[in-house]
């Protein structure tokens, strides 16, 4: 416990919780302070000027990180016939229909991303209570309900990150690993910020991106100037 406290104290040292940094500064700070014995995930949190209880203030989308997430996602696909074979050939970890339904309905969820062909959604929809709370329900808006299962599987395996605003108006995601270079992390963060900024809903009024913070799994949160972050990500 003493070692953990000492390590955490060191990682949090000289971090001014009130100061707003540029994206480059924030990336440098969190990478320098990643000291766990495992490869920590780089995480981003964005507070948005929306109230998700209103339909026209929902924020949802997908972002393809240029340098991937640093981990290989396990992908499941609901499909039959030729589309099932296409999914398997594309590298899907689990492919099925009624059999996969029974597995998931029984509470066994051994995947990170779920894709379905449109004809399977009547079946998949019955799993709403299981998949919904975990953010795994396929949706055409983020490309997980599609006939092009080959592309969907490739995107999921290649570093596509899905995002969805939570009740408090917050979007967060893992956007890389501490072992990535500063430039790789920065590129991923910019891509994510830009994707969220472009997903601004019609009902959002005033400032859309209100707060941005970066951290690693065990490291301190570093605040980022939100306006500067959005501007940097757009370039």
């Amino acid at each position: 416990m003493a070692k953990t406290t000492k390590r955490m104290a060191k990682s949090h040292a000289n971090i001014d919780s009130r100061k707003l940094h540029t994206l480059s500064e924030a990336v440098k700070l969190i990478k320098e302070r990643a000291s766990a014995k495992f490869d920590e995930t780089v995480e981003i949190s964005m507070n948005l000027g929306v109230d998700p209880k209103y339909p026209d203030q929902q924020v949802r989308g997908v972002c393809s990180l240029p340098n991937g997430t640093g981990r290989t996602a396990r992908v499941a696909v609901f499909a039959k016939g030729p589309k099932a074979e296409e999914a398997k050939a594309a590298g899907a970890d689990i492919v099925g229909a009624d059999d996969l339904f029974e597995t998931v309905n029984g509470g066994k969820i051994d995947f990170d991303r779920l894709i379905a062909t449109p004809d399977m959604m009547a079946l998949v929809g019955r799993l709403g209570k299981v998949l919904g709370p975990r953010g795994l329900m396929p949706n055409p808006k983020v490309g997980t309900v599609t006939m092009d299962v080959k592309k969907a599987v490739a995107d999921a395996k290649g570093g596509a990150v899905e995002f969805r605003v939570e009740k408090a108006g917050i979007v967060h995601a893992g956007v890389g690993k501490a072992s990535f270079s500063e430039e790789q992390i920065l590129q991923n963060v910019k891509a994510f910020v830009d994707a969220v900024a472009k997903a601004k809903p019609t009902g959002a009024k005033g400032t859309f991106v209100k707060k941005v913070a970066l951290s690693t799994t065990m490291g301190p949160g570093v605040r980022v100037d939100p306006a500067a972050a959005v501007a940097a990500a757009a370039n």
Side-chain angles (χ1 to χ4, degrees):
M1 182 65 70
K3 287 184 178 179
T4 301
T5 303
K6 187 175 181 180
R7 181 192 61 76
M8 289 184 68
K10 184 178 180 181
S11 69
H12 285 67
N14 302 317
I15 294 289
D16 185 345
S17 61
R18 297 165 298 179
K19 183 178 179 181
L20 297 179
H21 299 81
T22 65
L23 283 178
S24 297
E25 290 171 344
V27 167
K28 182 177 178 64
L29 283 169
I30 63 168
K31 184 170 170 61
E32 287 175 347
R33 285 161 173 73
S35 58
K37 293 182 179 180
F38 61 92
D39 193 5
E40 298 177 56
T41 297
V42 174
E43 300 172 353
I44 185 169
S45 176
M46 300 175 68
N47 291 61
L48 307 177
V50 296
D51 187 343
K53 71 181 180 183
Y54 296 107
D56 65 348
Q57 294 189 45
Q58 291 291 321
V59 180
R60 187 169 188 177
V62 65
C63 172
S64 292
L65 300 176
N67 300 297
T69 61
R71 64 186 292 270
T72 302
R74 284 185 59 79
V75 180
V77 180
F78 270 96
K80 287 183 176 180
K83 286 299 172 181
E85 295 305 313
E86 184 181 319
K88 292 175 183 177
D93 300 278
I94 306 168
V95 181
D98 295 305
D99 54 338
L100 182 53
F101 174 89
E102 294 300 332
T103 299
V104 175
N105 199 40
K108 186 178 180 180
I109 299 179
D110 191 21
F111 51 84
D112 307 299
R113 195 90 181 270
L114 181 61
I115 296 163
T117 52
D119 58 302
M120 289 281 98
M121 285 309 294
L123 181 65
V124 178
R126 290 160 55 194
L127 295 169
K129 290 183 179 180
V130 179
L131 299 172
R134 295 174 171 81
L136 290 171
M137 179 61 76
N139 188 299
K141 291 182 179 179
V142 294
T144 47
V145 177
T146 177
M147 288 299 288
D148 193 352
V149 293
K150 180 179 180 180
K151 181 180 185 302
V153 171
D155 287 346
K157 289 283 189 179
V161 175
E162 190 175 335
F163 58 87
R164 184 176 186 177
V165 69
E166 298 177 352
K167 288 182 180 179
I170 297 172
V171 165
H172 63 82
V175 289
K177 292 290 184 178
S179 59
F180 284 15
S181 69
E182 287 183 26
E183 183 59 28
Q184 288 176 318
I185 296 172
L186 184 60
Q187 288 174 352
N188 279 5
V189 170
K190 283 183 175 180
F192 187 84
V193 171
D194 191 46
V196 172
K198 288 178 177 176
K200 180 179 179 178
T202 56
K205 307 300 180 184
T207 303
F208 180 49
V209 180
K210 291 189 169 184
K211 295 180 182 178
V212 178
L214 295 179
S215 66
T216 56
T217 307
M218 303 296 289
V222 177
R223 294 183 64 190
V224 177
D225 183 324
V230 172
N235 294 327

mmCIF file of all heavy atoms in Angstrom, residues 77 79 82-95 149-150 153:
data_model
loop_
_atom_site.group_PDB
_atom_site.id
_atom_site.type_symbol
_atom_site.label_atom_id
_atom_site.label_comp_id
_atom_site.label_asym_id
_atom_site.label_seq_id
_atom_site.Cartn_x
_atom_site.Cartn_y
_atom_site.Cartn_z
ATOM 1 N N VAL A 77 -20.696 -11.307 -34.423
ATOM 2 C CA VAL A 77 -21.571 -10.922 -35.527
ATOM 3 C C VAL A 77 -22.814 -11.821 -35.563
ATOM 4 O O VAL A 77 -22.703 -13.049 -35.529
ATOM 5 C CB VAL A 77 -20.842 -11.029 -36.890
ATOM 6 C CG1 VAL A 77 -21.782 -10.630 -38.024
ATOM 7 C CG2 VAL A 77 -19.595 -10.151 -36.907
ATOM 8 N N ALA A 79 -25.359 -13.087 -37.952
ATOM 9 C CA ALA A 79 -25.560 -13.211 -39.401
ATOM 10 C C ALA A 79 -25.831 -14.673 -39.755
ATOM 11 O O ALA A 79 -25.516 -15.583 -38.988
ATOM 12 C CB ALA A 79 -24.333 -12.701 -40.155
ATOM 13 N N PRO A 82 -24.366 -16.706 -46.343
ATOM 14 C CA PRO A 82 -23.158 -16.105 -46.919
ATOM 15 C C PRO A 82 -22.578 -14.975 -46.058
ATOM 16 O O PRO A 82 -21.357 -14.803 -45.996
ATOM 17 C CB PRO A 82 -23.650 -15.568 -48.270
ATOM 18 C CG PRO A 82 -24.815 -16.434 -48.611
ATOM 19 C CD PRO A 82 -25.488 -16.706 -47.301
ATOM 20 N N LYS A 83 -23.452 -14.204 -45.395
ATOM 21 C CA LYS A 83 -22.963 -13.096 -44.569
ATOM 22 C C LYS A 83 -22.231 -13.617 -43.327
ATOM 23 O O LYS A 83 -21.294 -12.992 -42.842
ATOM 24 C CB LYS A 83 -24.115 -12.178 -44.161
ATOM 25 C CG LYS A 83 -24.611 -11.302 -45.307
ATOM 26 C CD LYS A 83 -23.499 -10.393 -45.816
ATOM 27 C CE LYS A 83 -23.883 -9.641 -47.065
ATOM 28 N NZ LYS A 83 -22.786 -8.785 -47.567
ATOM 29 N N ALA A 84 -22.653 -14.759 -42.830
ATOM 30 C CA ALA A 84 -21.961 -15.377 -41.701
ATOM 31 C C ALA A 84 -20.570 -15.818 -42.135
ATOM 32 O O ALA A 84 -19.583 -15.626 -41.409
ATOM 33 C CB ALA A 84 -22.762 -16.566 -41.170
ATOM 34 N N GLU A 85 -20.496 -16.391 -43.334
ATOM 35 C CA GLU A 85 -19.195 -16.822 -43.861
ATOM 36 C C GLU A 85 -18.290 -15.619 -44.121
ATOM 37 O O GLU A 85 -17.086 -15.665 -43.893
ATOM 38 C CB GLU A 85 -19.395 -17.627 -45.157
ATOM 39 C CG GLU A 85 -20.137 -18.940 -44.948
ATOM 40 C CD GLU A 85 -19.481 -19.820 -43.895
ATOM 41 O OE1 GLU A 85 -18.241 -19.990 -43.950
ATOM 42 O OE2 GLU A 85 -20.201 -20.326 -43.005
ATOM 43 N N GLU A 86 -18.905 -14.533 -44.604
ATOM 44 C CA GLU A 86 -18.154 -13.301 -44.856
ATOM 45 C C GLU A 86 -17.566 -12.754 -43.555
ATOM 46 O O GLU A 86 -16.413 -12.309 -43.517
ATOM 47 C CB GLU A 86 -19.086 -12.256 -45.480
ATOM 48 C CG GLU A 86 -18.408 -10.957 -45.887
ATOM 49 C CD GLU A 86 -19.388 -9.959 -46.483
ATOM 50 O OE1 GLU A 86 -20.269 -10.388 -47.273
ATOM 51 O OE2 GLU A 86 -19.290 -8.760 -46.152
ATOM 52 N N ALA A 87 -18.355 -12.814 -42.491
ATOM 53 C CA ALA A 87 -17.904 -12.328 -41.188
ATOM 54 C C ALA A 87 -16.737 -13.166 -40.666
ATOM 55 O O ALA A 87 -15.751 -12.628 -40.145
ATOM 56 C CB ALA A 87 -19.055 -12.351 -40.195
ATOM 57 N N LYS A 88 -16.850 -14.474 -40.821
ATOM 58 C CA LYS A 88 -15.775 -15.368 -40.370
ATOM 59 C C LYS A 88 -14.490 -15.101 -41.140
ATOM 60 O O LYS A 88 -13.404 -15.040 -40.560
ATOM 61 C CB LYS A 88 -16.196 -16.831 -40.544
ATOM 62 C CG LYS A 88 -17.313 -17.269 -39.616
ATOM 63 C CD LYS A 88 -17.750 -18.697 -39.932
ATOM 64 C CE LYS A 88 -18.931 -19.130 -39.062
ATOM 65 N NZ LYS A 88 -19.419 -20.494 -39.413
ATOM 66 N N ALA A 89 -14.631 -14.928 -42.449
ATOM 67 C CA ALA A 89 -13.458 -14.667 -43.294
ATOM 68 C C ALA A 89 -12.799 -13.328 -42.948
ATOM 69 O O ALA A 89 -11.591 -13.158 -43.101
ATOM 70 C CB ALA A 89 -13.870 -14.688 -44.765
ATOM 71 N N ALA A 90 -13.606 -12.387 -42.473
ATOM 72 C CA ALA A 90 -13.086 -11.058 -42.138
ATOM 73 C C ALA A 90 -12.382 -11.040 -40.781
ATOM 74 O O ALA A 90 -11.747 -10.046 -40.423
ATOM 75 C CB ALA A 90 -14.222 -10.039 -42.139
ATOM 76 N N GLY A 91 -12.519 -12.144 -40.035
ATOM 77 C CA GLY A 91 -11.818 -12.226 -38.756
ATOM 78 C C GLY A 91 -12.680 -12.079 -37.521
ATOM 79 O O GLY A 91 -12.165 -11.895 -36.411
ATOM 80 N N ALA A 92 -14.014 -12.165 -37.675
ATOM 81 C CA ALA A 92 -14.902 -12.082 -36.515
ATOM 82 C C ALA A 92 -14.594 -13.236 -35.560
ATOM 83 O O ALA A 92 -14.331 -14.359 -35.987
ATOM 84 C CB ALA A 92 -16.360 -12.135 -36.950
ATOM 85 N N ASP A 93 -14.632 -12.951 -34.262
ATOM 86 C CA ASP A 93 -14.304 -13.964 -33.261
ATOM 87 C C ASP A 93 -15.472 -14.908 -32.991
ATOM 88 O O ASP A 93 -15.271 -16.088 -32.690
ATOM 89 C CB ASP A 93 -13.899 -13.281 -31.947
ATOM 90 C CG ASP A 93 -12.698 -12.384 -32.120
ATOM 91 O OD1 ASP A 93 -11.570 -12.919 -32.102
ATOM 92 O OD2 ASP A 93 -12.871 -11.167 -32.291
ATOM 93 N N ILE A 94 -16.683 -14.378 -33.079
ATOM 94 C CA ILE A 94 -17.892 -15.172 -32.822
ATOM 95 C C ILE A 94 -18.920 -14.839 -33.894
ATOM 96 O O ILE A 94 -19.179 -13.663 -34.151
ATOM 97 C CB ILE A 94 -18.483 -14.843 -31.436
ATOM 98 C CG1 ILE A 94 -17.428 -15.005 -30.336
ATOM 99 C CG2 ILE A 94 -19.701 -15.706 -31.140
ATOM 100 C CD1 ILE A 94 -17.845 -14.418 -28.992
ATOM 101 N N VAL A 95 -19.493 -15.829 -34.516
ATOM 102 C CA VAL A 95 -20.523 -15.616 -35.531
ATOM 103 C C VAL A 95 -21.660 -16.598 -35.266
ATOM 104 O O VAL A 95 -21.430 -17.785 -35.026
ATOM 105 C CB VAL A 95 -19.975 -15.839 -36.959
ATOM 106 C CG1 VAL A 95 -21.079 -15.594 -37.989
ATOM 107 C CG2 VAL A 95 -18.789 -14.924 -37.234
ATOM 108 N N VAL A 149 -20.627 -6.558 -43.648
ATOM 109 C CA VAL A 149 -20.023 -7.057 -42.414
ATOM 110 C C VAL A 149 -18.500 -7.126 -42.511
ATOM 111 O O VAL A 149 -17.799 -6.988 -41.505
ATOM 112 C CB VAL A 149 -20.595 -8.436 -42.024
ATOM 113 C CG1 VAL A 149 -22.059 -8.314 -41.655
ATOM 114 C CG2 VAL A 149 -20.415 -9.453 -43.133
ATOM 115 N N LYS A 150 -17.987 -7.292 -43.707
ATOM 116 C CA LYS A 150 -16.543 -7.343 -43.882
ATOM 117 C C LYS A 150 -15.902 -6.036 -43.425
ATOM 118 O O LYS A 150 -14.934 -6.036 -42.663
ATOM 119 C CB LYS A 150 -16.201 -7.598 -45.357
ATOM 120 C CG LYS A 150 -14.705 -7.660 -45.636
ATOM 121 C CD LYS A 150 -14.446 -7.941 -47.119
ATOM 122 C CE LYS A 150 -12.935 -7.989 -47.393
ATOM 123 N NZ LYS A 150 -12.676 -8.261 -48.841
ATOM 124 N N VAL A 153 -16.382 -5.463 -39.512
ATOM 125 C CA VAL A 153 -15.446 -6.257 -38.707
ATOM 126 C C VAL A 153 -14.040 -5.668 -38.802
ATOM 127 O O VAL A 153 -13.341 -5.534 -37.790
ATOM 128 C CB VAL A 153 -15.442 -7.739 -39.166
ATOM 129 C CG1 VAL A 153 -14.307 -8.505 -38.477
ATOM 130 C CG2 VAL A 153 -16.778 -8.395 -38.859
#
